[in-house]
Amino acid sequence: MTKYAYFHNEIVPIEQAKVSIMTNTFNYGTGCFGGIRGYWNEERQQLYVFRILDHYRRFLDSARVLLAQLDYTPASLAQITLDLLAKEGWTQNCYIRPIAYKAEESIAVKLHDLKDDVTIFSQPVGNYLPIQGISVGTSSWRRVDDTAIPARGKIIGSYANSALIKSEAQLNGYDDAIVLNQDGHISEGSAANFMMIRNGVLVTPPTSSNILEGITRRTIIELVQNEMGLPVQEREIDRSEAYLADEAFYCGTGAQVSPISSIDHRPIGTGKVGPLVTELQALYFRVVKGQEEKYMHWLTPVAQKVTA
Ligand SMILES: Cc1ncc(COP(=O)(O)O)c(C=O)c1O
């Protein structure tokens, strides 16, 4: 369904966006990526991209960790993405995937003095996780540590860790997993940040718990503080404390707001999606679709398709 990609500095038909098997990042995972959502507003017949500049700021930060030399700014990457989406002409929700990679066809295991490049494609998307309540189990895997592969950089190679976690969880009958860091505290899900509500406080692991610094996490913290009046604590969470949450959920670009109904077979709260997460999820969906005037600054409209 995808027709175009940004590849080698231009928008080309997707069939032309191909790399060699000798590409360094294909061999070693030495690249980084982003994941951004476009939301289609049916009423206005308009595609909006959510927090595009914030996503590209983090993308370039990840690239810095990998010593990538890139001639892009968040604004230039955003413009390329908007041009790509205008050409693609989606009239449905979509997912945008930028990748920065070591383009050199070399088997050198290193980061420096290698040619870097950026590619971007998009595709239609639905819900990555169910949004009506998922069951999760604590993973037997641990989250990659900042001393091994920094989780705050969205580094391609570290997603082997996420894939081990996700498959173990699903093959064991769960929808996803809670992943502990090397200290035994909760880090996050396989590809989403963890949050819980306990005694009227929203609690989420701090950025030092080997989490990805989620854009959705920041969004939720702001919405919860401003619109729901709940205090927020960023602090370490023990596995057993999560069992005692009144409500819990994952958040992320893919996951959106995905309520957790049980952890390790212990029902969270009543085992049904709780009132605060229900309210927050509805608010989040209004914000990303452009139905909340106050948060329109987070959305960038894609120009209508220009047929030359
Ligand atoms: C490991 C991991 N944690 C958290 C998130 C959530 O980050 P964001 O809200 O920026 O999409 C993601 C990506 O979606 C992820 O892959």
Side-chain angles (χ1 to χ4, degrees):
M1 294 244 272
T2 297
K3 295 189 289 300
Y4 300 100
Y6 177 73
F7 185 67
H8 288 170
N9 301 315
E10 55 180 344
I11 294 175
V12 297
I14 189 75
E15 307 75 42
Q16 287 178 29
K18 298 232 183 332
V19 295
S20 158
I21 59 166
M22 291 171 69
T23 304
N24 184 277
T25 292
F26 181 71
N27 283 263
Y28 302 119
T30 49
C32 61
F33 65 104
I36 310 169
R37 264 190 195 255
Y39 283 92
W40 176 247
N41 182 312
E42 185 65 37
E43 213 171 279
R44 281 179 231 154
Q45 296 287 294
Q46 177 65 59
L47 184 68
Y48 290 110
V49 186
F50 189 60
R51 300 195 73 163
I52 190 167
L53 286 173
D54 291 320
H55 276 282
Y56 278 124
R57 283 186 195 109
R58 185 182 66 197
F59 178 71
L60 291 176
D61 283 350
S62 298
R64 271 170 65 187
V65 174
L66 296 173
L67 295 176
Q69 307 273 348
L70 294 174
D71 208 9
Y72 293 96
T73 62
S76 68
L77 288 166
Q79 190 54 55
I80 292 163
T81 303
L82 295 174
D83 292 347
L84 179 69
L85 292 173
K87 191 144 175 150
E88 201 67 76
W90 301 122
T91 54
Q92 56 186 308
N93 295 347
C94 67
Y95 188 80
I96 302 139
R97 165 55 45 83
I99 303 169
Y101 63 105
K102 304 281 168 192
E104 199 124 334
E105 295 177 12
S106 138
I107 54 166
V109 185
K110 62 175 191 172
L111 298 171
H112 64 287
D113 295 340
L114 292 175
K115 188 168 63 143
D116 294 287
D117 209 350
V118 169
T119 185
I120 310 173
F121 66 92
S122 64
Q123 61 182 34
V125 74
N127 293 328
Y128 175 75
L129 281 176
I131 53 173
Q132 297 92 2
I134 58 172
S135 75
V136 305
T138 304
S139 183
S140 69
W141 299 99
R142 294 284 169 110
R143 185 79 176 116
V144 283
D145 192 78
D146 197 60
T147 55
I149 307 180
R152 70 163 46 72
K154 215 169 153 59
I155 296 173
I156 295 175
S158 74
Y159 277 73
N161 180 239
S162 295
L164 286 165
I165 292 159
K166 182 74 177 184
S167 283
E168 181 194 57
Q170 291 198 326
L171 295 173
N172 285 342
Y174 296 113
D175 295 298
D176 207 288
I178 297 237
V179 191
L180 307 180
N181 61 21
Q182 298 300 321
D183 303 336
H185 293 108
I186 291 178
S187 168
E188 52 185 348
S190 67
N193 289 115
F194 176 79
M195 299 198 158
M196 65 179 201
I197 297 165
R198 189 169 185 217
N199 301 327
V201 179
L202 181 94
V203 189
T204 193
T207 53
S208 53
S209 282
N210 289 315
I211 66 166
L212 180 74
E213 296 178 356
I215 311 290
T216 318
R217 176 181 179 276
R218 270 157 58 193
T219 303
I220 296 294
I221 289 174
E222 206 170 320
L223 290 177
V224 160
Q225 281 173 333
N226 292 352
E227 308 302 328
M228 295 172 63
L230 291 187
V232 174
Q233 284 178 0
E234 296 181 45
R235 63 161 172 81
E236 287 177 341
I237 304 175
D238 291 333
R239 168 183 184 167
S240 61
E241 189 188 3
Y243 295 167
L244 309 182
D246 302 315
E247 303 186 37
F249 59 101
Y250 283 134
C251 68
T253 299
Q256 306 176 107
V257 174
S258 178
I260 295 172
S261 46
S262 70
I263 302 177
D264 296 338
H265 306 285
R266 278 111 178 140
I268 295 305
T270 61
K272 303 243 160 52
V273 181
L276 294 171
V277 177
T278 303
E279 185 185 336
L280 179 62
Q281 189 188 55
L283 172 62
Y284 181 77
F285 281 127
R286 288 200 304 280
V287 167
V288 294
K289 287 180 194 153
Q291 294 162 346
E292 286 284 337
E293 202 47 49
K294 186 170 164 190
Y295 295 100
M296 283 303 286
H297 60 280
W298 280 338
L299 305 186
T300 308
V302 175
Q304 296 305 311
K305 187 178 177 185
V306 188
T307 36

